[in-house]
Amino acid sequence: MPGRAQEAHGASLRCEGKAAKWLNDGVPPAQVAEWAGNSVAVLLATYARCVDGQLPDLRRRLEAAGDLP
């Protein structure tokens, strides 16, 4: 069973991969999952902590639509 240091290193390596880049670039998770050969559930469980910087754009889109929670 890997220790915390190994888990952190593994997460870092995953975050540097193409799937993380695609997610951060705004490619829909369903498309990234297809390209990566995974289900959306596996993709999001693996890369959820890697997605960064999309909140301001999502907030603007929700505000423009009048649908902000």
Side-chain angles (χ1 to χ4, degrees), residues 45-58:
T46 303
Y47 294 99
R49 292 188 177 119
C50 299
V51 179
D52 186 35
Q54 294 181 359
L55 189 57
D57 180 51
L58 293 172

Side-chain angles (χ1 to χ4, degrees), residues 9-43:
H9 182 68
S12 175
L13 290 176
R14 284 192 299 271
C15 290
E16 294 171 4
K18 285 188 177 189
K21 181 182 180 329
W22 293 330
L23 289 169
N24 280 312
D25 287 345
V27 178
Q31 183 61 62
V32 176
E34 182 182 324
W35 290 341
N38 285 318
S39 68
V40 173
V42 168
L43 179 87

